[in-house]
Structure formats: structure tokens, C-alpha cells
Amino acid sequence: MDTIIRNATLIAMDAAHADQPFRADIRISGAKIAEIGPELPHGPDARVIDGRDRLVIPGLVNAHAHSGETLLKGRYHNLPLDLWIFAAYPLFGAEPLSDRLIYLRTMLSAIESLKNGVTCIVDDVFEPPAQT
């Protein structure tokens, strides 16, 4: 069954449109975009989504992430960088996180990214007190 997104505003970043927004329909077949164009025809079993007042863009790329800091959000608010580094990455006495907590923390970071349109991440992971 196809999904049609009707009358959305697209930024395709392609040769025809560059970075200029344009209105079009999107046909999704399975997990892939099959066609983009004006007023695409569809069968009676197609799922139709109203795309008016919606912007469709390519997935975003986060070229510098630190999933290891996901659980630190709001913990050391408004500290200068030099003090924040010592609080967030203690040099001595840091208890290593369990493999399960590292997995869950990384999944939380991935979920937050996907919810915000990020589809590619370069993750600069540091696990104090040592990488394993």
C-alpha cells in the first residue's frame, strides 16, 4: 500500500530545486520515496496524508555529537568550560558505567536525534575512566 503526502512544502536539495522550497506530493512505497510531483494519482487503498503547512526536508546530519553526555543534560548548568569538564569527566574515582547503561544512554541519544530529524551521527564517545 502506498502512502501519499499531499501538497507539502519540500526542500529537496536536488539539481532541479537546489535549496528553494516548492510544493509537491510525495509517494512512499514500502520504505522508500517512489515519486515526487504535483497531484500524484493514487489508488483507493492508498493512505493519504495532508501535507499543507508541513515542511519535508532531507535527514539532518549531526557531525559532532557526544552520546556520553546524554545523561548530563541540565546537571552542571551555567558552569564555565574548565569547571564543567572536571565535573562531567572526573579524572580520578569515576565509576565505569555498566554496558547496559551505556546502551540505554546511547539509545536515548539516538531516539532524541531521530525525533528531531537527524538521520546520521558522528558520535565522539569518551567513556571515563577508560575506553573499553
Side-chain angles (χ1 to χ4, degrees):
M1 176 176 72
D2 285 352
T3 298
I4 304 287
I5 302 175
R6 281 268 185 242
N7 201 27
T9 300
L10 282 72
I11 298 179
M13 301 303 293
D14 61 2
H17 302 96
D19 62 354
Q20 295 303 305
F22 63 99
R23 287 215 170 271
D25 295 350
I26 305 168
R27 179 187 316 285
I28 302 168
S29 293
K32 295 188 178 194
I33 295 174
E35 187 177 8
I36 295 175
E39 301 179 22
L40 295 177
H42 61 84
D45 60 336
R47 178 177 175 221
V48 179
I49 298 172
D50 184 6
R52 283 179 297 169
D53 301 323
R54 299 292 183 258
L55 178 65
V56 179
I57 64 170
L60 301 173
V61 175
N62 183 344
H64 188 123
H66 294 271
S67 67
E69 297 172 5
T70 300
L71 301 178
L72 301 178
K73 290 180 182 177
R75 189 167 179 189
Y76 306 111
H77 187 62
N78 285 341
L79 286 181
L81 179 62
D82 51 349
L83 296 177
W84 180 87
I85 289 288
F86 283 117
Y89 293 102
L91 298 175
F92 304 106
E95 288 291 321
L97 298 178
S98 70
D99 289 346
R100 180 69 178 157
L101 188 54
I102 291 170
Y103 171 82
L104 293 172
R105 176 201 68 202
T106 305
M107 286 296 103
L108 177 60
S109 177
I111 291 166
E112 289 175 346
S113 295
L114 286 171
K115 286 184 70 175
N116 288 289
V118 176
T119 58
C120 180
I121 299 172
V122 177
D123 193 1
D124 301 302
V125 178
F126 172 65
E127 290 298 333
Q131 288 300 105
T132 60

